[in-house]
Amino acid sequence: MKTYQYNKLSQALILAAGYGERMQPLTLKTPKPLIKLLKKPLISYILDQLIMNNIRYCFINSHYLYEKINNYAEKIQKLNNYPIISVAYEKNILDTGGAIKNIDKIIFEEPLLVINGDSILIQTKTLNPLERLIHYFNPQLMDALLLLDNFEDSVGYNGNGDFVLKQKTLPTTINRNLNTSAKAFAFTGWQILNPKVVKNINLDKFSLNFFYDKAINKGRLWGIINQDKWLHIGTLEALKESEQWLIKVKQ
């Protein structure tokens, strides 16, 4: 497939509205994105990637303990000119799709990088873990490009894979894992999508899974395989395992 370098990718959304119940008691007083991994908040690892890739605008949706998310964003903004950070408070959690529609400042005509607030990519093989995803996104062919992982060497993912590839050449269109004999890959929570398509869904609260199914039916949901270390920090066990892995890597 001919690659398509999209040079106008300028905006990102970090999903940070959840309660983080599986990480209690740490999340009783601290929102999950601010839980520290080796003395550094989870969300700061994501922001480092945005800075490295010259993302100019970063939106963070919030609900649970939103004041602490907002205070942290203000602190980071004072240290960095970019990205320009905007925190969008949700009175009621709107789920991943509704979060996009709720942010007025999103440029719906331009692609949007969407990242789960508990998902971290650590450089191991490539110079820049996010660079390949940006490089291969083609708005002419794709409603969304998902970063997938074989999850055999990941941390914190306990499923059987979320999507299967339709072709061996990457990037490729993808489908749901329907327990077929095909190799399944996990979704890392990192993706680039067309927010205009999300905006046109006539719902206020909905999951991006609804959007994915529509894209699959049109052959416009694509995937590419992550080549670096993926840390899915949704539990206390995953946090501890991530710490152990990072300490080992730094030695």
Side-chain angles (χ1 to χ4, degrees):
M1 172 186 170
K2 183 179 179 180
T3 60
Y4 180 98
Q5 179 64 56
Y6 195 89
N7 295 318
K8 293 184 179 180
L9 184 63
S10 63
Q11 55 183 2
L13 166 62
I14 302 174
L15 298 169
Y19 292 93
E21 294 177 347
R22 292 187 299 163
M23 293 192 73
Q24 291 181 0
L26 295 182
T27 50
L28 291 175
K29 295 183 179 181
T30 304
K32 184 165 63 171
L34 298 187
I35 295 297
K36 291 185 177 181
L37 173 62
L38 295 187
K39 300 181 180 181
K40 182 175 177 178
L42 300 181
I43 198 171
S44 68
Y45 289 89
I46 298 173
L47 289 169
D48 287 346
Q49 284 290 316
L50 301 187
I51 293 170
M52 186 184 303
N53 286 276
N54 300 312
I55 305 299
R56 293 183 64 83
Y57 304 100
C58 174
F59 307 102
I60 304 173
N61 77 320
S62 64
H63 173 77
Y64 177 64
L65 299 176
Y66 71 93
E67 300 96 337
K68 294 187 176 183
I69 294 284
N70 192 64
N71 291 340
Y72 180 78
E74 290 179 352
K75 176 183 176 181
I76 294 299
Q77 191 70 85
K78 291 178 180 179
L79 300 175
N80 300 277
N81 292 328
Y82 293 100
I84 298 172
I85 303 174
S86 300
V87 179
Y89 171 67
E90 297 176 6
K91 183 177 181 181
N92 299 300
I93 293 180
L94 300 174
D95 214 329
T96 51
I100 295 173
K101 292 184 65 175
N102 183 57
I103 300 176
D104 295 333
K105 295 179 181 179
I106 282 179
I107 305 170
F108 284 99
E109 288 72 28
E110 294 188 8
L112 176 69
L113 172 66
V114 180
I115 308 161
N116 290 353
D118 60 0
S119 181
I120 295 174
L121 301 177
I122 302 294
Q123 174 189 333
T124 56
K125 296 181 180 179
T126 62
L127 179 63
N128 185 328
L130 180 54
E131 189 174 21
R132 286 179 66 252
L133 187 67
I134 295 173
H135 177 74
Y136 280 107
F137 180 72
N138 185 337
Q140 297 173 358
L141 298 176
M142 307 170 183
D143 284 343
L145 176 63
L146 277 54
L147 185 65
L148 307 177
D149 193 276
N150 67 13
F151 66 86
E152 294 175 358
D153 191 41
S154 66
V155 172
Y157 180 83
N158 298 314
N160 297 315
D162 306 300
F163 295 95
V164 295
L165 311 181
K166 290 188 176 181
Q167 298 178 5
K168 292 182 179 180
T169 303
L170 297 174
T172 177
T173 49
I174 59 176
N175 206 345
R176 295 281 188 185
N177 178 20
L178 302 176
N179 296 319
T180 65
S181 59
K183 165 70 176 177
F185 294 84
F187 174 42
T188 63
W190 290 66
Q191 63 190 308
I192 298 174
L193 55 78
N194 181 349
K196 188 173 183 179
V197 180
V198 178
K199 180 184 179 182
N200 290 337
I201 294 176
N202 192 26
L203 296 168
D204 294 324
K205 178 180 178 179
F206 63 98
S207 168
L208 280 175
N209 285 314
F210 185 75
F211 163 76
Y212 299 153
D213 289 337
K214 287 182 172 290
I216 287 172
N217 290 336
K218 296 185 293 182
R220 293 183 60 86
L221 188 68
W222 290 65
I224 193 167
I225 307 303
N226 176 42
Q227 296 184 349
D228 295 277
K229 188 73 172 185
W230 172 41
L231 309 177
H232 177 218
I233 307 176
T235 64
L236 295 174
E237 293 78 11
L239 179 64
K240 182 178 180 180
E241 187 178 345
S242 297
E243 289 176 342
Q244 293 173 342
W245 181 84
L246 282 172
I247 290 171
K248 184 177 179 179
V249 168
K250 291 183 177 182
Q251 291 177 346

